[in-house]
């Protein structure tokens, strides 16, 4: 039994963590949940994640939920993989910014873009400001590449990259050269290819 267990469903946001685990290179177990059967709402699973969502990660006695938090935790717990920027490095601030910019700005901007509100909210009421600004800032960051932290691939690329990859797939992110080039670099990574293939096996069997 591996020390790491991912509570997982495919397709879902937990695929972000599966990619992170493949990048990490540590052994891990998968506990599959079938969302269409409501298994994520069972009392046993709600004891792990009261939100009734995936992903959740068990590492020994620790349980972590929320994709960005899990990726941050794994990068710090397993520093030999060089997927983090350590405490004390001045680059850690921008690294953490991008880890939380994805769920805090990129994803809500995409969702509001996909499902427009009947009444346009005041810009200041939205944590991300506005869609175009989020896309411009993100495009500028990934264009400096090859990765968000320059030559070093980090957990921030997993979290931001997964959002952009999904956004391009469903036309929620503009097909700008900055985004398509960045996603192509990510899709060339063996760990993402393995994670994608493993999830496709799950979907084919379901």
């Amino acid at each position: 039994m591996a020390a790491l267990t991912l509570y997982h469903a495919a397709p879902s946001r937990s695929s972000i963590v599966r990619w992170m685990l493949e990048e990490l290179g540590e052994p891990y177990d998968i506990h599959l949940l079938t969302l269409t059967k409501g298994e994520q709402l069972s009392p046993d699973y709600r004891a792990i994640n009261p939100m009734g969502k995936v992903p959740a990660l068990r590492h020994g006695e620790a349980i972590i939920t929320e994709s960005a938090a899990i990726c941050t935790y794994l990068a710090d717990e397993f520093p030999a993989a060089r997927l983090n920027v350590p405490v004390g490095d001045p680059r850690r601030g921008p690294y953490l910014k991008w880890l939380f910019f994805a769920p805090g700005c990129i994803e809500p901007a995409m969702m509001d873009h996909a499902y427009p509100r009947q009444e346009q909210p005041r810009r200041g009421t939205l944590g991300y400001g506005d869609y175009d600004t989020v896309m411009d800032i993100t495009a500028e960051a990934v264009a400096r590449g090859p990765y968000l932290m320059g030559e070093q691939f980090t957990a921030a690329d997993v979290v931001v990259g997964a959002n952009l990859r999904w956004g391009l797939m469903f036309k929620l992110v503009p097909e700008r050269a900055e985004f398509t080039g960045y996603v192509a670099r990510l899709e060339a990574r063996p760990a993402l290819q393995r994670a994608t293939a493993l999830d496709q096996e799950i979907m084919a069997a379901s």
Side-chain angles (χ1 to χ4, degrees), residues 2 16-17 39-40 47-48 52 58 60 104 116 126 130 132 145 157 181 195 204-205:
I16 301 171
V17 178
E39 292 174 356
Q40 75 279 15
I48 293 165
R58 185 188 294 276
L126 299 175
D130 64 81
D132 289 336
D157 293 293

Side-chain angles (χ1 to χ4, degrees), residues 131-152:
Y131 175 85
D132 289 336
T133 300
V134 170
M135 292 300 119
D136 287 345
I137 288 171
T138 307
E140 182 181 327
V142 299
R144 291 194 293 264
Y147 303 117
L148 287 165
M149 302 308 299
E151 293 297 323
Q152 182 190 0

Side-chain angles (χ1 to χ4, degrees), residues 73-151:
Y73 174 89
L74 288 171
D76 285 342
E77 283 291 301
F78 299 93
R82 295 197 71 249
L83 295 170
N84 74 335
V85 175
V87 174
D89 187 321
R91 298 180 307 137
R92 186 167 173 87
Y95 161 74
L96 291 174
K97 171 261 187 82
W98 287 114
L99 274 163
F100 299 104
F101 191 83
C105 294
I106 297 174
E107 183 175 346
M110 288 193 303
M111 290 298 95
D112 281 349
H113 186 70
Y115 303 103
R117 301 164 193 258
Q118 290 185 348
E119 183 178 340
Q120 188 67 24
R122 288 187 301 139
R123 186 182 191 279
T125 65
L126 299 175
Y128 64 85
D130 64 81
Y131 175 85
D132 289 336
T133 300
V134 170
M135 292 300 119
D136 287 345
I137 288 171
T138 307
E140 182 181 327
V142 299
R144 291 194 293 264
Y147 303 117
L148 287 165
M149 302 308 299
E151 293 297 323

Side-chain angles (χ1 to χ4, degrees), residues 5 7 44-45 47-50 55-66 70 73:
T5 299
Y7 294 84
D44 285 348
Y45 184 66
I48 293 165
N49 185 355
L57 181 83
R58 185 188 294 276
H59 179 215
E61 296 300 312
I63 294 175
I64 312 95
T65 63
E66 303 303 323
I70 295 170
Y73 174 89

Side-chain angles (χ1 to χ4, degrees), residues 175-188:
E175 289 195 15
R176 294 167 61 160
E178 301 98 316
F179 294 143
T180 57
Y182 176 64
V183 168
R185 291 192 292 278
L186 299 178
E187 289 183 336

